[in-house]
PDB file of all heavy atoms in Angstrom:
ATOM      1  N   HIS B  24      93.626  28.307 115.058  1.00 97.00           N
ATOM      2  CA  HIS B  24      93.909  28.808 116.402  1.00 97.00           C
ATOM      3  C   HIS B  24      94.503  27.674 117.220  1.00 97.00           C
ATOM      4  O   HIS B  24      94.100  26.516 117.062  1.00 97.00           O
ATOM      5  CB  HIS B  24      92.635  29.317 117.093  1.00 97.00           C
ATOM      6  CG  HIS B  24      91.957  30.419 116.373  1.00 97.00           C
ATOM      7  ND1 HIS B  24      92.295  31.743 116.540  1.00 97.00           N
ATOM      8  CD2 HIS B  24      90.946  30.403 115.460  1.00 97.00           C
ATOM      9  CE1 HIS B  24      91.521  32.502 115.775  1.00 97.00           C
ATOM     10  NE2 HIS B  24      90.707  31.718 115.109  1.00 97.00           N
ATOM     11  N   LYS B  33     103.495  20.799 120.261  1.00 97.00           N
ATOM     12  CA  LYS B  33     102.466  20.898 119.239  1.00 97.00           C
ATOM     13  C   LYS B  33     103.143  21.137 117.888  1.00 97.00           C
ATOM     14  O   LYS B  33     104.324  21.476 117.812  1.00 97.00           O
ATOM     15  CB  LYS B  33     101.511  22.059 119.538  1.00 97.00           C
ATOM     16  CG  LYS B  33     100.700  21.904 120.811  1.00 97.00           C
ATOM     17  CD  LYS B  33      99.608  20.883 120.645  1.00 97.00           C
ATOM     18  CE  LYS B  33      98.730  20.829 121.899  1.00 97.00           C
ATOM     19  NZ  LYS B  33      97.699  19.752 121.790  1.00 97.00           N
ATOM     20  N   GLU B  38     100.230  23.560 103.862  1.00 98.00           N
ATOM     21  CA  GLU B  38     100.156  22.733 102.669  1.00 98.00           C
ATOM     22  C   GLU B  38      99.874  23.604 101.441  1.00 98.00           C
ATOM     23  O   GLU B  38      99.071  24.538 101.511  1.00 98.00           O
ATOM     24  CB  GLU B  38      99.048  21.687 102.836  1.00 98.00           C
ATOM     25  CG  GLU B  38      99.034  20.595 101.807  1.00 98.00           C
ATOM     26  CD  GLU B  38      98.130  19.430 102.207  1.00 98.00           C
ATOM     27  OE1 GLU B  38      97.487  19.505 103.274  1.00 98.00           O
ATOM     28  OE2 GLU B  38      98.090  18.445 101.464  1.00 98.00           O
ATOM     29  N   TRP B  48     108.322  30.166 106.755  1.00 97.00           N
ATOM     30  CA  TRP B  48     107.600  30.442 107.999  1.00 97.00           C
ATOM     31  C   TRP B  48     107.924  31.863 108.440  1.00 97.00           C
ATOM     32  O   TRP B  48     109.097  32.259 108.459  1.00 97.00           O
ATOM     33  CB  TRP B  48     107.992  29.499 109.128  1.00 97.00           C
ATOM     34  CG  TRP B  48     107.351  28.150 109.082  1.00 97.00           C
ATOM     35  CD1 TRP B  48     107.957  26.953 108.902  1.00 97.00           C
ATOM     36  CD2 TRP B  48     105.959  27.851 109.253  1.00 97.00           C
ATOM     37  NE1 TRP B  48     107.042  25.930 108.927  1.00 97.00           N
ATOM     38  CE2 TRP B  48     105.807  26.449 109.145  1.00 97.00           C
ATOM     39  CE3 TRP B  48     104.812  28.628 109.479  1.00 97.00           C
ATOM     40  CZ2 TRP B  48     104.570  25.809 109.262  1.00 97.00           C
ATOM     41  CZ3 TRP B  48     103.586  27.994 109.598  1.00 97.00           C
ATOM     42  CH2 TRP B  48     103.477  26.610 109.488  1.00 97.00           C
ATOM     43  N   LYS B  50     106.715  34.872 111.562  1.00 97.00           N
ATOM     44  CA  LYS B  50     106.061  35.148 112.837  1.00 97.00           C
ATOM     45  C   LYS B  50     105.637  36.607 112.835  1.00 97.00           C
ATOM     46  O   LYS B  50     106.414  37.482 112.415  1.00 97.00           O
ATOM     47  CB  LYS B  50     107.056  34.904 113.983  1.00 97.00           C
ATOM     48  CG  LYS B  50     106.561  35.313 115.360  1.00 97.00           C
ATOM     49  CD  LYS B  50     107.654  35.082 116.387  1.00 97.00           C
ATOM     50  CE  LYS B  50     107.239  35.551 117.769  1.00 97.00           C
ATOM     51  NZ  LYS B  50     108.309  35.307 118.767  1.00 97.00           N
ATOM     52  N   GLN B  51     104.406  36.864 113.271  1.00 97.00           N
ATOM     53  CA  GLN B  51     103.929  38.247 113.287  1.00 97.00           C
ATOM     54  C   GLN B  51     103.291  38.566 114.635  1.00 97.00           C
ATOM     55  O   GLN B  51     102.275  37.977 115.009  1.00 97.00           O
ATOM     56  CB  GLN B  51     102.925  38.498 112.164  1.00 97.00           C
ATOM     57  CG  GLN B  51     102.509  39.954 112.066  1.00 97.00           C
ATOM     58  CD  GLN B  51     101.651  40.235 110.848  1.00 97.00           C
ATOM     59  OE1 GLN B  51     100.954  39.351 110.347  1.00 97.00           O
ATOM     60  NE2 GLN B  51     101.702  41.467 110.352  1.00 97.00           N
ATOM     61  N   GLU B  58     107.871  38.707 110.428  1.00 95.00           N
ATOM     62  CA  GLU B  58     109.317  38.488 110.537  1.00 95.00           C
ATOM     63  C   GLU B  58     109.649  37.104 109.995  1.00 95.00           C
ATOM     64  O   GLU B  58     109.074  36.105 110.422  1.00 95.00           O
ATOM     65  CB  GLU B  58     109.769  38.537 111.993  1.00 95.00           C
ATOM     66  CG  GLU B  58     109.608  39.869 112.692  1.00 95.00           C
ATOM     67  CD  GLU B  58     110.041  39.755 114.143  1.00 95.00           C
ATOM     68  OE1 GLU B  58     111.010  39.015 114.435  1.00 95.00           O
ATOM     69  OE2 GLU B  58     109.393  40.390 114.999  1.00 95.00           O
ATOM     70  N   ASN B  89     105.995  21.828 108.089  1.00 98.00           N
ATOM     71  CA  ASN B  89     105.559  21.775 109.484  1.00 98.00           C
ATOM     72  C   ASN B  89     106.439  22.677 110.337  1.00 98.00           C
ATOM     73  O   ASN B  89     107.600  22.950 110.003  1.00 98.00           O
ATOM     74  CB  ASN B  89     105.650  20.338 110.020  1.00 98.00           C
ATOM     75  CG  ASN B  89     104.758  19.373 109.276  1.00 98.00           C
ATOM     76  OD1 ASN B  89     103.624  19.704 108.934  1.00 98.00           O
ATOM     77  ND2 ASN B  89     105.263  18.176 109.023  1.00 98.00           N
ATOM     78  N   LEU B 104     102.682  32.606 110.076  1.00 98.00           N
ATOM     79  CA  LEU B 104     102.285  32.609 108.672  1.00 98.00           C
ATOM     80  C   LEU B 104     103.183  31.703 107.861  1.00 98.00           C
ATOM     81  O   LEU B 104     104.403  31.702 108.032  1.00 98.00           O
ATOM     82  CB  LEU B 104     102.363  34.026 108.097  1.00 98.00           C
ATOM     83  CG  LEU B 104     101.372  35.039 108.673  1.00 98.00           C
ATOM     84  CD1 LEU B 104     101.857  36.453 108.414  1.00 98.00           C
ATOM     85  CD2 LEU B 104      99.996  34.841 108.066  1.00 98.00           C
ATOM     86  N   SER B 107     104.502  30.260 100.212  1.00 95.00           N
ATOM     87  CA  SER B 107     105.220  29.450  99.234  1.00 95.00           C
ATOM     88  C   SER B 107     105.434  30.256  97.970  1.00 95.00           C
ATOM     89  O   SER B 107     104.690  31.201  97.672  1.00 95.00           O
ATOM     90  CB  SER B 107     104.448  28.157  98.920  1.00 95.00           C
ATOM     91  OG  SER B 107     103.289  28.426  98.148  1.00 95.00           O
ATOM     92  N   PHE B 117     102.767  33.339  97.864  1.00 93.00           N
ATOM     93  CA  PHE B 117     101.395  33.222  98.331  1.00 93.00           C
ATOM     94  C   PHE B 117     101.419  32.864  99.816  1.00 93.00           C
ATOM     95  O   PHE B 117     102.163  31.973 100.224  1.00 93.00           O
ATOM     96  CB  PHE B 117     100.648  32.146  97.545  1.00 93.00           C
ATOM     97  CG  PHE B 117     100.438  32.480  96.103  1.00 93.00           C
ATOM     98  CD1 PHE B 117     101.418  32.203  95.159  1.00 93.00           C
ATOM     99  CD2 PHE B 117      99.260  33.085  95.681  1.00 93.00           C
ATOM    100  CE1 PHE B 117     101.233  32.523  93.827  1.00 93.00           C
ATOM    101  CE2 PHE B 117      99.061  33.401  94.346  1.00 93.00           C
ATOM    102  CZ  PHE B 117     100.047  33.126  93.418  1.00 93.00           C
ATOM    103  N   LEU B 124      98.594  31.600 117.564  1.00 97.00           N
ATOM    104  CA  LEU B 124      99.109  30.795 118.666  1.00 97.00           C
ATOM    105  C   LEU B 124      99.108  31.597 119.960  1.00 97.00           C
ATOM    106  O   LEU B 124      99.597  32.731 119.995  1.00 97.00           O
ATOM    107  CB  LEU B 124     100.538  30.339 118.362  1.00 97.00           C
ATOM    108  CG  LEU B 124     101.258  29.594 119.493  1.00 97.00           C
ATOM    109  CD1 LEU B 124     100.612  28.235 119.727  1.00 97.00           C
ATOM    110  CD2 LEU B 124     102.740  29.423 119.175  1.00 97.00           C
ATOM    111  N   THR B 125      98.572  30.985 121.004  1.00 97.00           N
ATOM    112  CA  THR B 125      98.619  31.578 122.336  1.00 97.00           C
ATOM    113  C   THR B 125      99.312  30.593 123.264  1.00 97.00           C
ATOM    114  O   THR B 125      98.891  29.428 123.359  1.00 97.00           O
ATOM    115  CB  THR B 125      97.215  31.885 122.869  1.00 97.00           C
ATOM    116  OG1 THR B 125      96.544  32.758 121.957  1.00 97.00           O
ATOM    117  CG2 THR B 125      97.283  32.560 124.239  1.00 97.00           C
TER     118      THR B 125
END
Side-chain angles (χ1 to χ4, degrees):
Chain B
H24 300 274
K33 296 286 185 184
E38 192 167 2
W48 280 115
K50 173 183 177 179
Q51 186 173 27
E58 295 178 36
N89 298 320
L104 294 160
S107 72
F117 293 85
L124 174 68
T125 302

